[in-house]
Amino acid sequence: MQVLGIETSCDETGIALYDTERGLRAHALHSQVALHAAYGGVVPELASRDHVRRIVPLIEAVMREARTTLAAIDGIAYTQGPGLAGALLVGASVASALAMALDKPLLGVHHLEGHLLSPLLSADKPSFPFVALLVSGGHSQLFFVRGVGQYELLGDTFDDAAGEAFDKAAQLLGLQYPGGPALAQLARQGKSGVMRLPRPLIDAPHLHFSFSGLKTAVLTLVRQLQHEGRFDEQARADVALEFETAVVDVLAAKAFAALRQTQNRQLVVAGGVGANQSLRQRLFKEAAASGVRVYFPEMEFCTDNGAMIALVGALRMTQKARDYGFQVRPRWSLTELTAA
């Protein structure tokens, strides 16, 4: 089965073609980072308009790369939610129109299920069941994954997600959007142990997260350094390193606590924050010491992409999926999904 995947949940237009026998045939992605940089964050109306401009040319590019035609595909999957309503509607409308015109099955996919299962795109992939750490700009969650659609929520964030905290801390340090990668780059020049920030809930008897207090602690520290006249480039790098280390400490502690709680030895890390090198190094190091396997999606599949949507579509697609009256779900809990 060949499934065309369409991802337009936020600020990246992703298109991919996945074959259940041959794997990923082709994929293309357009990022809107440059478009939103001047505003310091995503502007929903601009995001929607850019999806409209990019989506058809990207579909055509993927078809050319895969050396096939739309008539030859077996179904279309699109991101139904969660995400920005206007952006989601672009992908949903194009997917529905194509599926109706081609008389093909159509499936709305949960964006976070795509991230959760994205490591299955790799040659070295986990087997069910596994613990999944989902960390992105909008989510910091731990799941016990028994199979497709079988997701038990183990831990969630009380406030800011890890990626959101990265962006806000980067803004306090005067870094440009997108803040997470910029902060990680600045942290490489930092000196360890010079600054000290809290590790929220790291010793709590549950698996939930909270990063708003850490963000406030960064604000307090920056103001103190500015007041003392010590907020130079080195100080900024030291704060960045301490912030990144604090987040990594918390994520690693919670992830391995979840493994112990479930008595599982496989950890999947998905979402944009999964691209952070410090997090990857820390988890690999602890995993090696404890006999745990850690799986990450390929770097190009950590952020939003069409490949993960095409993959989930292929895992869930049936010939009965022909409801072309599309509906998007900007808010949609992953725990509402059922098994495939």
Side-chain angles (χ1 to χ4, degrees):
M1 174 183 286
Q2 291 191 109
V3 176
L4 178 69
I6 298 176
E7 155 61 23
T8 63
S9 65
C10 189
D11 60 344
E12 282 148 332
T13 312
I15 309 294
L17 184 65
Y18 184 85
D19 189 314
T20 52
E21 294 183 0
R22 301 166 64 184
L24 186 62
R25 297 284 308 281
H27 68 100
L29 181 73
H30 174 75
S31 173
Q32 300 177 5
V33 167
L35 176 66
H36 300 289
Y39 305 96
V42 177
V43 181
E45 178 65 19
L46 294 181
S48 301
R49 290 176 180 272
D50 199 61
H51 287 309
V52 171
R53 285 193 293 269
R54 308 289 180 179
I55 190 167
V56 171
L58 286 175
I59 292 174
E60 293 173 341
V62 165
M63 292 297 102
R64 286 195 301 269
E65 183 182 343
R67 297 183 179 181
T68 188
T69 64
L70 287 170
I73 67 175
D74 300 297
I76 300 174
Y78 68 95
T79 301
Q80 189 174 23
L84 301 175
L88 290 168
L89 282 167
V90 176
S93 59
V94 170
S96 298
L98 280 175
M100 179 181 288
L102 298 167
D103 191 26
K104 302 291 185 180
L106 175 72
L107 182 68
V109 169
H110 196 295
H111 177 77
L112 297 184
E113 183 172 35
H115 277 302
L116 206 62
L117 300 182
S118 58
L120 298 181
L121 290 164
S122 303
D124 182 21
K125 64 188 70 174
S127 57
F128 298 114
F130 56 79
V131 170
L133 173 63
L134 184 59
V135 278
S136 65
H139 299 84
S140 292
Q141 297 174 311
L142 279 162
F143 288 94
F144 186 47
V145 180
R146 293 185 172 86
V148 177
Q150 298 177 284
Y151 311 127
E152 178 187 351
L153 182 63
L154 302 175
D156 203 347
T157 180
F158 289 134
D159 38 63
D160 292 0
E164 182 182 4
F166 261 98
D167 288 339
K168 290 180 178 178
Q171 188 175 31
L172 292 172
L173 292 173
L175 300 173
Q176 296 296 313
Y177 172 86
L183 187 146
Q185 184 174 358
L186 178 61
R188 295 172 188 167
Q189 281 75 54
K191 297 178 181 177
S192 180
V194 176
M195 305 294 176
R196 185 63 186 172
L197 291 169
R199 274 66 172 161
L201 302 180
I202 193 168
D203 295 320
H206 54 69
L207 298 176
H208 299 301
F209 303 93
S210 172
F211 292 109
S212 65
L214 179 58
K215 173 196 66 181
T216 302
V218 172
L219 174 61
T220 301
L221 179 57
V222 167
R223 286 179 174 174
Q224 178 186 340
L225 292 169
Q226 289 173 332
H227 178 72
E228 296 172 355
R230 296 193 295 125
F231 194 55
D232 56 13
E233 188 65 20
Q234 185 58 57
R236 291 171 67 245
D238 295 342
V239 174
L241 176 60
E242 174 62 10
F243 172 82
E244 181 181 57
T245 303
V247 173
V248 168
D249 284 349
V250 172
L251 293 177
K254 297 290 185 178
F256 281 90
L259 288 166
R260 291 191 294 272
Q261 178 176 306
T262 58
Q263 297 184 329
N264 193 270
R265 307 195 74 77
Q266 293 186 109
L267 175 65
V268 161
V269 184
V273 180
N276 182 275
Q277 290 300 312
S278 293
L279 177 61
R280 287 179 171 238
Q281 293 168 8
R282 174 67 173 275
L283 292 178
F284 279 131
K285 181 179 179 179
E286 291 199 21
S290 55
V292 168
R293 288 291 307 276
V294 181
Y295 299 88
F296 289 88
E298 306 298 332
M299 291 294 287
E300 60 188 329
F301 302 133
C302 285
T303 54
D304 297 348
N305 63 87
M308 67 184 189
I309 304 304
L311 169 68
V312 174
L315 293 173
R316 286 182 169 272
M317 188 76 70
T318 68
Q319 284 297 316
K320 296 179 181 179
R322 292 176 182 267
D323 181 5
Y324 305 128
F326 62 89
Q327 176 185 6
V328 297
R329 302 183 65 177
R331 295 183 179 275
W332 189 8
S333 172
L334 190 60
T335 57
E336 296 177 26
L337 296 183
T338 57

